[in-house]
Each structure stands twice: as C-alpha cells, then as structure tokens.
Amino acid sequence: MRDEARSTAAGSACLEIRKLTKRFGGLVAVNDVSTTIERGKINAIIGPNGAGKTTFFNLISGVHPATSGQIVFNGTDVTRLRTDQVAQLGVSRTFQTTALFDMATVLDNLIVGHRLRTRANLWDVIVNSARLKAEEKLCREKAREALDFVGLSHIAHRMAGDITQEERKRVAFALALATDPQLVLLDEPAGGVNPDETLGLAELIRKFVRHGITVCLIEHKMNMIMSLADKIMVLNYGEKIAEGTPAEIRNNPAVIDAYLGAEHADV
C-alpha cells in the first residue's frame, strides 16, 4: 500500500470496456457493453438482481473469458488474461461473501493472502532461505499495514470466526490491498451491515481514493451509492441502459422504471 496518491492524473480512464459480451449457452449475461472506469474516482454499477453486474466484474478480473469485446487496463489489452495476470497488473477485487480461514487469526489470514503472491518455492522452505525470510517479514509488515489502513489493528490476533460481519467486510478490503492495486472492484461491500456501519465502509472507500486507488463497486444500497459515487452505470438484463452522475441517474426515466422506482427521483 502506498501512502501517496499515484502520479497519473485523476479523471482519465484507467479501464476501457469496448462492446463486451458474455454468453452462457443461450443466456446473454452481458450484452455489448461499452464504458470506462474513471481513474481516481468512485465508479458504481447498479441494476436489478440478474442484471449482469457480478458477471461484468468476473469478466474484468479474468474469472470468465469474454465471448466478444475488449477490456483495456492502462493501455494494455487484458481481455484474455488469467485472474493472477490481471491482479499482477493492478486489478484487485472483493466478493459478496468474504471467505476467511475462521480458525486462524485475522492477521494470519492476511499473511496467507500476501504469501500467495510471493516467489519463494519449496526449496526456499526446505533450506529456510534468505529469500523466504525476507518475504515472510515483508508479508507480516504488509498485513499489519493493511489492517491499520482499514481500522482493524485492534483485532489482529482475534480468530477470524469470531469477528463481526462488518469486520469481515473490512478484512476483505485489506485483502484487496495485497497486490498494491491501482483499481479495486468491490462486490456489494456494504451487504449485511447496518446503516452506521455502512457509513463507516463508505468513508473507507473514500480513503481508498484519497490514497490513489480507483474504485468500482456494485451495491444495492441506493442512499450509499447516490452520496458516494462520482459516476454510475446501470445494467438491466445484461445491457447498459444509462450512465452518468448520481443526479442524472436518479432522474433517468428508464432507470426509475427498471430499478429505482419513483421514490428515488428528485422532486
């Protein structure tokens, strides 16, 4: 994790999506979607259940191959790359459900997350090499740094199975920092937490951006999205039906009809 913002100017596109389509047999989950993820901003994706939002994230992060279209990250075509290759370039993500080793401490969970991205091999373990020792020290330092960043230093040695849902969400944020990402994809980061906890997670997302990390999130909590996002894209049945600022989205008739309902419109 870097404390200073990255030097690339905010506002330019760090990710370009060009006519992206994903078919699962006869089902078109994402259909001809083009958009950009703006660098240094909070980008959001909303839409009804089954609209294709998580599939869209899976395509960006390399979980699923695209049927057609192109994904360009910082000028590099990443359309056909594996998840680990996309992560190495600077894209990280969280999932709707945070999977942790519940019988290990919070700190150890983060150390494991970092260890999966180091270079030491079996031979290093057998001989207890200098590289292994250096990487273990670095992993521990980065894990503590990530915990401090998300406000969880006080539970570092608590068993992961004993922490709250909100704390699990923060651990997921910390794990997303493991690869020193430039772009973080957050899949329903406030799912299952109360309104006060939602406000705290929203502030943590703003902290990401203040430290030079671009954010794109999927979320169903509209009050959170409308107060947090700089730019919103709306998916419905796999197609982009609108894109713009929160004010523009709130008053878009197609979005009101498909998803928001009249109660979210400005009067």
Side-chain angles (χ1 to χ4, degrees), residues 63-242:
V63 174
H64 296 318
T67 302
S68 61
Q70 190 177 35
I71 306 166
V72 178
F73 178 64
N74 285 338
T76 299
D77 189 333
V78 300
T79 312
R80 303 298 173 190
L81 296 188
R82 302 186 309 269
T83 52
D84 60 309
Q85 294 172 318
V86 175
Q88 288 171 4
L89 289 174
V91 180
S92 185
R93 71 169 291 183
T94 67
F95 295 84
Q96 294 178 22
T97 302
T98 304
L100 300 176
F101 297 105
D102 285 346
M103 298 305 294
T105 67
V106 171
L107 181 64
D108 284 341
N109 268 272
L110 289 176
I111 290 172
V112 170
H114 287 291
R115 288 291 295 147
L116 293 175
R117 294 164 176 84
T118 56
R119 296 182 178 182
N121 53 34
L122 179 60
W123 178 251
D124 290 293
V125 174
I126 292 172
V127 302
N128 195 26
S129 71
R131 178 167 71 171
L132 177 67
K133 293 176 182 178
E135 288 187 348
E136 286 179 343
K137 182 175 184 292
L138 178 62
C139 286
R140 187 167 294 274
E141 290 173 352
K142 288 182 72 68
R144 290 188 180 280
E145 182 182 350
L147 275 180
D148 182 63
F149 186 92
V150 302
L152 293 183
S153 294
H154 62 291
I155 67 165
H157 299 292
R158 191 181 302 171
M159 302 301 287
D162 295 333
I163 66 177
T164 68
Q165 175 68 7
E166 188 266 353
E167 289 167 341
R168 292 180 80 90
K169 293 289 186 179
R170 288 179 178 265
V171 172
F173 280 39
L175 285 167
L177 297 174
T179 56
D180 193 21
Q182 298 177 49
L183 169 64
V184 171
L185 309 174
L186 304 174
D187 197 344
E188 296 194 31
V193 304
N194 67 41
D196 287 341
E197 293 168 339
T198 297
L199 290 175
L201 292 174
E203 182 53 38
L204 182 54
I205 291 170
R206 293 187 182 98
K207 184 178 179 181
F208 271 49
V209 173
R210 290 197 301 270
H211 285 74
I213 300 171
T214 299
V215 172
C216 183
L217 72 153
I218 295 168
E219 187 53 69
H220 287 288
K221 294 185 175 182
M222 285 302 99
N223 289 337
M224 176 188 182
I225 288 294
M226 293 301 174
S227 65
L228 185 64
D230 298 299
K231 175 184 176 181
I232 301 172
M233 179 177 72
V234 188
L235 294 178
N236 192 33
Y237 295 109
E239 297 184 353
K240 183 175 80 172
I241 63 170

Side-chain angles (χ1 to χ4, degrees), residues 33-52:
V33 172
S34 296
T35 189
T36 57
I37 303 301
E38 301 301 316
R39 191 187 316 277
K41 294 185 178 181
I42 298 173
N43 304 258
I45 302 172
I46 66 172
N49 288 329

Side-chain angles (χ1 to χ4, degrees), residues 21-32 237-239:
T21 295
K22 178 60 180 179
R23 295 186 180 91
F24 295 98
L27 172 67
V28 183
V30 174
N31 188 16
D32 199 34
Y237 295 109
E239 297 184 353

